[in-house]
Amino acid sequence: MAQPELTSISSIQTGYSVRIGDCKTTFLTTSDDTAGQYCVFEHDLPAGFPGPPPHAHRVTTHTFYVIEGLVTIVVDGRSIKAEAGTSVYIPAGVVHQFSNPGQQRSRMLEIDTPGTFQAYFEELGQFFSSGQPMSQQSMALIQQKYDFISAAS
């Protein structure tokens, strides 16, 4: 059986990164690499990182895989203390959030289908790199563009 041709190879050293506050997000497999089917990136979560507010997505599904440390993942009101080696799948429509409330950094892969949610992190990274303060209104506008539905809405 013939092996498929590799079209994308990246690593934490070669993928491009954005900073969202103190969190570094590195894109490993982009939506462009997969014709929009999915994307894969690593979050380097500093100690005490609060993460996003509770939210859901109409279309986007997540799979989180903890590489290092401990990440708290709340899914539909259930709090999961996810240690390294833990995988959590979150279907579209389910309210969730993640954080690193501990005193050590954590690293987590995020795999999203479809890959369109990548643009949310890219736009947030551009905004944070501008040095402008992020207002609630600015954040709400970005969230509305990218299938991010606040649970407070």
Side-chain angles (χ1 to χ4, degrees), residues 6-53:
L6 292 175
T7 58
S8 174
I9 300 173
S10 65
S11 71
I12 200 68
Q13 290 80 24
T14 62
Y16 76 95
S17 300
V18 297
R19 288 213 167 261
I20 302 166
D22 292 334
C23 176
K24 178 182 174 187
T25 297
T26 303
F27 300 93
L28 300 170
T29 303
T30 67
S31 182
D32 288 342
D33 296 333
T34 67
Q37 294 180 47
Y38 67 95
C39 59
V40 180
F41 35 92
E42 179 183 306
H43 298 294
D44 189 335
L45 307 171
F49 182 72

Side-chain angles (χ1 to χ4, degrees), residues 44-61:
D44 189 335
L45 307 171
F49 182 72
H55 64 281
H57 309 284
R58 287 181 188 86
V59 177
T60 304
T61 67

Side-chain angles (χ1 to χ4, degrees), residues 69-88:
L70 180 70
V71 178
T72 298
I73 302 171
V74 180
V75 181
D76 206 16
R78 178 177 168 220
S79 183
I80 301 161
K81 301 291 184 192
E83 300 176 326
T86 302
S87 177
V88 178

Side-chain angles (χ1 to χ4, degrees), residues 29-31 34-41 56-64 88-94 96 109-119 121 146-147:
T29 303
T30 67
S31 182
T34 67
Q37 294 180 47
Y38 67 95
C39 59
V40 180
F41 35 92
H57 309 284
R58 287 181 188 86
V59 177
T60 304
T61 67
H62 297 304
T63 300
F64 296 138
V88 178
Y89 170 73
I90 303 165
V94 175
H96 61 281
L109 282 181
E110 181 173 331
I111 304 164
D112 292 342
T113 58
T116 52
F117 198 62
Q118 171 184 328
F121 290 105
Y146 298 109
D147 190 29

